Amino acid sequence: MGSCCCKPQAEPGGNDDIFINREDIEFISGSGSEDGINSAALSSIADKYVLDTVAVIRTLVDNDQDPPPSMLKLHSIADKEAGWLVVVRSMVQVIPLNDPLGPAVITLLLDDCPLPSKETVVHLSKFLELSRMSAGESWKDPRLHRNICVVLGCIAEKLAGPASIALLTHTTLEYLVAHLNENNHPCVILFALIALEKFAQTSENKTSIGKCLSQGLNNPLRTLESWMNHTDFVHRQVGFCAQWCLDNLFICEGRPYSYESIDTAHLNAMLNSNDVSEYLKISPDGLQARCDASSFESVRCTFQVDSGVWYYEATIITAGVMQIGWATKDSKFLNHEGYGIGDDEVSVAYDGCRQLFWHNAQSQSHTHPSWQPGDVLGSLLDLNNAQVIFYLNGDPLPPLTQVFKNATCGFFAAASFMSFQQCEFNFGKKSFIYPPKDIPFQSFNDHAYLKESEKIILPRHIQLQKLRAMSVEEGACTLCFDESAAITLLPCAHRGFCNRCALQLDYCPMCRRHIEERREVDQKSNTEEEVT
């Protein structure tokens, strides 16, 4: 399953050789005492449990069962304010830089721990000694700085509002902005940028950050966005996030929006930006997606297939948990509960991090190695023979057939993303890197069609402005506001829907009664005709 999964398939070794109960914590931490020996003992214990969690996180697959013992024990330690700070320090000091799930572990642990008090939040920057740290040291110890940035961003997201403002002290803001120098370690730049983005969810912080970025001759984000097509995949993530921030948060006067320079002449299929939550970032060309939230975000392609053989590719930009495959129009995604592609009976997915297939929330191991940045996942949907084949860099796995017990048509290319994960899709606009050699197939881009207006992915604040300015004509559809509301739903007889929206409904949105018929009302004669 997705990012909220919380039980290992097998019990992790070494978690039970030290048992921590509330009395032990009170004795070791001394109720917030600064006793060096006690603090060292508690820190050592917390370090061990953090590393245990990092070791087991890759095998967590079930959303509905208990977390591993190491996470439960860290939760107990963090139940006290002094213990919470110790857990934060342990995450900063011991989570490795090269583990693709390291930042996600920080997110999971902070989500699992109790909320800190405002006083503890204010004390955090002093506790982490941010004023003593130089951003120029990010190459000397990028692990430390990367983890500090992840922690600050996660807490800012968790404590939006006054507590977030209290955390963004002058010292914290200077620390994060200083890391945006192109000469620093790219991984540290990435998570400093993401942290600033999360702080900017609070409007007062957004203003402070914008002023800080605009000081001097050059906004550092303008330089960093040029990394969008860098050959190194960490640099590419920095470029993606910098561009997204410039389009959506920290607007630069005189800078055109990215969507205005995108060539959409031969773009006929893309990710559906109207079918996602606000937490998923989609590139202006509609072919890259990234999640930096703690939820498990999903997206589908704009083109639906009902017959034939179809193929697309996804270039892996981050090596963490993503579930990439096929979903139907009936698939339901619960982003905050951790359910995505492959977690219902009408979708199927490939997970290259945990080396699993997913269907109906059940996993099955496969023999491909764990994917790495730059790998290409190919996905072939053969509706003629009712099978799905996944390829990693051209190497096929045995066909999957389970999904066709419940779905035979209405498929979309789709994917779900754990925190800090990103990939780029190719639906046929450019040549495939590893096309199947033994099976004739079609590409979406050769058969799909999009209006020019449907190819534009507007920044969110512009979308909101357009919605506010939109004048809804009398008699317009209550769902899309575009077409005339000329359909009556039967047997409930509720009205207010256009033909296009009515055909997508199985249940009346007003009374939840099953729709048996859809009748078009002739506005002039007031007579009804059945719609099929």
Side-chain angles (χ1 to χ4, degrees), residues 74 324 410 503:
L74 286 168
I324 304 175
L503 288 173

Side-chain angles (χ1 to χ4, degrees), residues 306-323:
D306 297 301
S307 61
V309 184
W310 303 87
Y311 178 78
Y312 75 92
E313 290 181 342
T315 298
I316 305 306
I317 295 176
T318 57
V321 173
M322 294 178 282
Q323 293 172 199

